[in-house]
Amino acid sequence: MKEALVLSTCLLAGRIMMENGSEVYRVEDTMNRIAENAGISNTVSYVTATGLFMSIRNSSFSQLEEVHERSINLEKIVAVNHLSREFAAKKISLNELNARLKRVNYDTPSFSFLWQTLAAGLVSCTLMYIFGGTWRDFIPTFLIGCIGFVAGVYTKKWLQMRFLDMFVAAFVIGALAIASVKLGLANNVDHIIIGAVMPLVPGVAITNSFRDILSGDLLSGTARGIEALFVAAAIGVGIATTLLLFGGGIA
């Protein structure tokens, strides 16, 4: 039935946006616009960080969609917005919109893993220098930032346990920073660690948390804020562990 297809399409678009870092108000607006452009204006939507609900007033049609993963990929959000605008302009049908949304996770172009790794290293070494590091620490920080990023990605892929990937990545970064200084390859452990953990810091999640809270979405904003705090705590515990285990003799 049309109503069921409209709800499933709206929830699919909303789930993709929530899983890739969109704000709650933007997700709700997109879902409601798709429903309205499909000819159903009396919808009710409720979006949280872990689930999306949508129903049609004065009817028995209601659907729920779970949000399993949360990451940052603005290209997928742009893709959903582009499809929504095409549907509003009557360039594509509802069935085509649904089919193309299902392919967004596979068809949306993204940077290769190599480029992501190099970007993590570049962010690490430049921020290390901005925070007071020296040029002698530039190359070690670049390499350590790359290795820490790779360690986090593969830990998440293999173990499938939230927050443990950030702990492992931070642990690797701390251990390599201490080793590089002890071996005379770098000068300052603190500056290297500060720079190398920056690609792991959940800055976008914290920003979206405040934006959700300020827009009145207290539940989602609080949930995102707590999740960001857990990520930051995992990073801190990982660094603290390396300093306790291997930090002896480091000034």
Side-chain angles (χ1 to χ4, degrees):
M1 297 181 67
K2 179 182 178 181
E3 290 82 0
L5 179 60
V6 170
L7 291 184
S8 63
T9 302
C10 293
L11 289 172
L12 177 59
R15 177 175 62 81
I16 294 172
M17 295 180 72
M18 281 301 296
E19 287 181 345
N20 291 282
S22 181
E23 305 91 332
V24 168
Y25 74 88
R26 196 184 303 276
V27 174
E28 290 181 341
D29 181 66
T30 300
M31 292 168 58
N32 292 330
R33 286 178 183 273
I34 291 175
E36 185 174 351
N37 291 322
I40 301 176
S41 58
N42 56 335
T43 56
V44 179
S45 61
Y46 181 68
V47 176
T48 70
T50 56
L52 301 89
F53 309 82
M54 195 169 194
S55 63
I56 301 176
R57 295 182 189 274
N58 304 319
S59 75
S60 60
F61 291 97
S62 181
Q63 290 188 23
L64 162 68
E65 186 77 36
E66 291 182 288
V67 178
H68 298 286
E69 296 290 334
R70 283 175 296 279
S71 60
I72 304 299
N73 191 332
L74 301 183
E75 290 290 340
K76 293 183 180 180
I77 297 175
V78 171
V80 172
N81 287 332
H82 177 70
L83 290 173
S84 175
R85 294 188 186 99
E86 285 193 337
F87 179 63
K90 309 300 181 183
K91 295 180 179 179
I92 58 176
S93 65
L94 181 61
N95 286 316
E96 188 176 358
L97 173 62
N98 186 276
R100 291 176 65 177
L101 283 172
K102 291 179 179 178
R103 299 198 303 266
V104 164
N105 284 329
Y106 308 100
D107 295 345
T108 303
S110 182
F111 292 103
S112 67
F113 182 67
L114 175 61
W115 279 111
Q116 293 180 45
T117 303
L118 293 176
L122 185 61
V123 168
S124 300
C125 59
T126 51
L127 288 177
M128 175 278 302
Y129 187 76
I130 290 174
F131 281 113
T134 62
W135 285 108
R136 187 164 183 245
D137 295 334
F138 198 84
I139 298 300
T141 306
F142 175 84
L143 296 175
I144 292 171
C146 290
I147 295 171
F149 176 79
V150 171
V153 169
Y154 279 98
T155 300
K156 183 178 181 179
K157 180 179 179 180
W158 290 334
L159 300 182
Q160 296 293 322
M161 187 177 296
R162 294 188 61 81
F163 309 118
L164 183 60
D165 56 332
M166 294 294 101
F167 171 82
V168 172
F171 184 89
V172 170
I173 288 171
L176 291 177
I178 292 172
S180 64
V181 172
K182 286 188 175 182
L183 293 174
L185 303 176
N187 284 336
N188 192 289
V189 170
D190 294 337
H191 292 152
I192 295 174
I193 290 177
I194 290 172
V197 300
M198 283 300 167
L200 310 178
V201 174
V204 176
I206 295 173
T207 302
N208 284 346
S209 170
F210 279 104
R211 292 185 68 175
D212 285 342
I213 291 173
L214 292 176
S215 64
D217 300 302
L218 301 180
L219 183 61
S220 295
T222 303
R224 278 180 164 171
I226 292 174
E227 183 179 29
L229 287 177
F230 271 97
V231 171
I235 295 172
V237 172
I239 296 298
T241 303
T242 58
L243 294 176
L244 287 174
L245 294 177
F246 313 118
I250 298 294

